Amino acid sequence: MTDRIPVNPGTVEWCGDNPGIYLKQDPEGDWSSLAVYFRVTLSPHGRGHTMLLLEQPDSAAGFPDANNLCITDNDALTDYLLDDFIRYFPTFRGRAGIDGMSRLPMKSRRCEGDMKSVYRELMSADGVECCLEWRRLGEPFAVEVTPKDCATGAHDMYSVFFEAGDASISVNGVSFDGRVTDRLFFGQTMSTAFLAVSETWVRPRS
């Protein structure tokens, strides 16, 4: 067994929080709606917030024709997250909704809840109020993965996760279709709705 070292010699690319909600109508079918949120405290493009919602993940349509939208207060950070991270995440890889989605400047944001039973992230733009809600939250657990098991295939990633037994995505009070299911994640069966906090992505030294 390789000894663990106290200091990772790689380059810290970003850190912050990165919760997500992935819903299916048919547990055996494809994803029906997707959402991911980033609260970034350190990155090459500074601090910022990005909420990405795909009500129709495989439709190259944007808001208001489809609730495929991204709200952000830092466009450079969002470009970086999209190009170097989100497009590599297996759930989002190759989704036409990413290319067709509307990008809207953030008007307001807030969070609610206690991370014990219910937690919400809310962001708004002109004419749009988005809410991600996680319910029936489990106990926190720590995750540490190398590039072999990381979503991008190129990073060491450290995070604290909370699984959610139930969750919803809504725009202007209307919930997206689908429900929480299970998937194989980090070598075990886990919920497709989760909080991920204190997350750090490190590019290993070549």
Side-chain angles (χ1 to χ4, degrees):
M1 182 176 178
T2 304
D3 290 337
R4 295 174 60 175
I5 59 175
V7 177
N8 189 319
T11 301
V12 176
E13 298 221 328
W14 69 268
C15 60
D17 301 335
N18 182 208
I21 301 174
Y22 310 153
L23 304 178
K24 288 186 176 185
Q25 290 179 303
D26 176 359
E28 303 302 320
D30 200 2
W31 303 107
S32 59
S33 51
L34 305 170
V36 66
Y37 177 73
F38 293 83
R39 179 188 295 105
V40 173
T41 56
L42 180 150
S43 82
H45 302 283
R47 301 166 63 93
H49 305 79
T50 296
M51 182 179 284
L52 191 158
L53 311 180
L54 299 180
E55 184 184 28
Q56 300 178 34
D58 295 314
S59 174
F63 184 82
D65 297 323
N67 285 321
N68 293 339
L69 63 137
C70 175
I71 300 177
T72 183
D73 60 358
N74 185 331
D75 281 318
L77 172 62
T78 296
D79 289 339
Y80 169 68
L81 293 171
L82 279 167
D83 293 342
D84 290 12
F85 297 90
I86 299 171
R87 292 184 187 275
Y88 290 92
F89 292 177
T91 307
F92 289 87
R93 193 178 297 154
R95 299 290 179 180
I98 291 180
D99 296 315
M101 69 185 180
S102 301
R103 188 181 299 190
L104 307 173
M106 187 186 80
K107 185 177 179 180
S108 67
R109 63 176 175 84
R110 69 185 190 276
C111 60
E112 300 174 347
D114 55 11
M115 287 194 176
K116 292 182 178 180
S117 56
V118 177
Y119 185 76
R120 301 179 192 89
E121 290 285 358
L122 302 101
M123 289 184 72
S124 71
D126 283 338
V128 184
E129 175 82 19
C130 303
C131 177
L132 307 183
E133 180 174 293
W134 294 262
R135 300 180 289 273
R136 292 166 44 204
L137 290 164
E139 292 297 315
F141 59 95
V143 169
E144 176 183 353
V145 296
T146 63
K148 178 176 71 69
D149 298 309
C150 183
T152 62
H155 295 85
D156 295 327
M157 191 275 287
Y158 311 88
S159 190
V160 174
F161 275 76
F162 300 72
E163 289 187 85
D166 193 17
S168 60
I169 307 165
S170 64
V171 172
N172 293 336
V174 179
S175 296
F176 289 12
D177 290 336
R179 58 186 183 276
V180 173
T181 184
D182 293 325
R183 62 173 172 162
L184 189 63
F185 196 51
F186 302 135
Q188 58 185 314
T189 300
M190 291 178 57
S191 168
T192 58
F194 54 90
L195 302 180
V197 301
S198 300
E199 190 160 290
T200 301
W201 294 71
V202 180
R203 187 173 293 276
R205 179 180 294 176
S206 301

